[in-house]
Amino acid sequence: MSGYRIFSQFYDNLTFNVDYEKRAEYLQSILSLWGHEPGLALDLACGTGSLTVALKQRGWDIFGVDGSQDMLTVAMDKAYEKELNMLFLCQRMEKLDLYGTIDTCVCTLDSLNHITDQAKLQTAFDRVALFMNPEGLFVFDVNTVYKHQRILADNTFVYDTDEVYCVWQNSLEENNIVRIELDLFEKEGEVYLRRSECFRERAYEIGELKRMLTQAGFETLAVYRDMTTEPLRDDSDRAVFVERIVDVKNAE
């Protein structure tokens, strides 16, 4: 993954359809459903921090981790503008290294799909488990194989906003990996400046993810359709996992 060096400047503008307030409310409802208090929470792969800030404003004691310094710069600006004292750490998911333990971890908007190497994904799960307190919850979502094969696939999407014109081109590769190429055109005066970004996302089978999570020490409590507490369907484009730590290890 490129680190979103260019994309970070336009990420919020191009994800205008994501309602972070509703997503924060949804995560809160999942925790309530399972009788779990957030405690000290981590927003893993927090990106530009929109969800982290929304959860903080709901009273969560939460901090964010992301592998992109550029994304985190935007996140810190948001927290500063809202006068929120928040911690953000620059770490890759498979390199997670915290100073203590956490009670809750959330990871949203297909962030884990960016890990295309299965061994590294297993390591990411292991690292989250390592820092979880007993009975801790890990709630995350992933793009499904259906989405990669039937929706993203080899399709091209165009986004035309006031800030940027974006051409999003996908190429479906082996192992349900989608190569995503972004051409971003930003108007400056009478001309457009073209910038490009490229990264890959991999979709994993649900059973495959469950096995990896079990190996990491988690118990799968539920797998939902996105933004619901209803069972996953064959045509669901995003799956939400609710995981509870059952094999607690001591953080190094």
Side-chain angles (χ1 to χ4, degrees):
M1 182 173 155
S2 67
Y4 281 152
R5 183 178 60 83
I6 303 300
F7 195 31
S8 62
Q9 301 173 40
F10 307 105
Y11 181 84
D12 288 335
N13 190 261
L14 292 171
T15 56
F16 60 88
N17 59 323
V18 179
D19 191 326
Y20 289 100
E21 295 298 326
K22 285 188 177 180
R23 194 159 290 273
E25 182 180 337
Y26 172 62
L27 291 172
Q28 182 67 63
S29 70
I30 288 180
L31 266 58
S32 298
L33 179 64
W34 290 97
H36 181 76
E37 292 294 328
L40 179 58
L42 164 64
D43 185 4
L44 183 64
C46 65
T48 60
S50 295
L51 181 64
T52 330
V53 167
L55 290 170
K56 180 73 171 179
Q57 291 178 315
R58 278 170 169 71
W60 285 38
D61 183 7
I62 190 167
F63 64 101
V65 166
D66 198 89
S68 167
Q69 293 181 348
D70 298 286
M71 288 287 207
L72 290 177
T73 297
V74 179
M76 288 187 288
D77 286 344
K78 288 179 184 176
Y80 178 79
E81 289 172 2
K82 296 184 180 297
E83 300 183 344
L84 296 173
N85 183 17
M86 300 183 68
L87 173 67
F88 292 98
L89 302 174
C90 187
Q91 297 179 1
R92 297 181 67 86
M93 289 180 276
E94 69 273 21
K95 299 288 187 180
L96 184 67
D97 189 12
L98 305 181
Y99 302 107
T101 54
I102 56 176
D103 302 290
T104 304
C105 179
V106 298
C107 185
T108 62
L109 300 176
D110 60 87
S111 294
L112 286 164
N113 292 105
H114 286 279
I115 304 179
T116 58
D117 183 300
Q118 184 171 331
K120 288 185 178 180
L121 180 58
Q122 181 67 65
T123 300
F125 287 152
D126 292 344
R127 297 304 292 178
V128 173
L130 179 64
F131 294 102
M132 295 290 283
N133 282 325
E135 301 298 310
L137 283 193
F138 179 25
V139 183
F140 67 89
D141 67 52
V142 288
N143 284 344
T144 61
V145 170
Y146 173 86
K147 181 174 182 177
H148 277 221
Q149 292 183 348
R150 302 291 295 276
I151 299 175
L152 297 180
D154 294 307
N155 293 319
T156 298
F157 305 93
V158 175
Y159 300 90
D160 187 2
T161 75
D162 292 337
E163 301 294 329
V164 65
Y165 183 86
C166 174
V167 179
W168 181 306
Q169 301 180 80
N170 297 325
S171 301
L172 184 61
E173 302 177 346
E174 293 182 352
N175 296 320
N176 295 308
I177 293 175
V178 172
R179 175 185 171 89
I180 299 169
E181 297 182 63
L182 304 177
D183 286 313
L184 301 150
F185 299 86
E186 182 183 17
K187 190 172 185 180
E188 288 198 5
E190 298 300 316
V191 300
Y192 280 88
L193 296 181
R194 177 182 176 182
R195 302 177 183 179
S196 298
E197 197 87 81
C198 180
F199 51 92
R200 287 178 169 84
E201 293 193 27
R202 177 176 177 180
Y204 296 85
E205 297 286 351
I206 299 300
E208 190 175 27
L209 290 169
K210 286 182 177 181
R211 287 190 294 273
M212 296 170 70
L213 288 157
T214 297
Q215 182 175 327
F218 289 103
E219 171 193 11
T220 300
L221 300 179
V223 182
Y224 300 128
R225 287 195 294 120
D226 192 31
M227 298 297 287
T228 77
T229 54
E230 299 174 1
L232 202 63
R233 300 190 315 213
D234 290 341
D235 63 348
S236 297
D237 63 353
R238 181 174 284 152
V240 179
F241 282 72
V242 183
E243 302 290 324
R244 180 168 57 201
I245 191 71
V246 292
D247 185 10
V248 180
K249 305 173 179 66
N250 292 320
E252 296 173 344

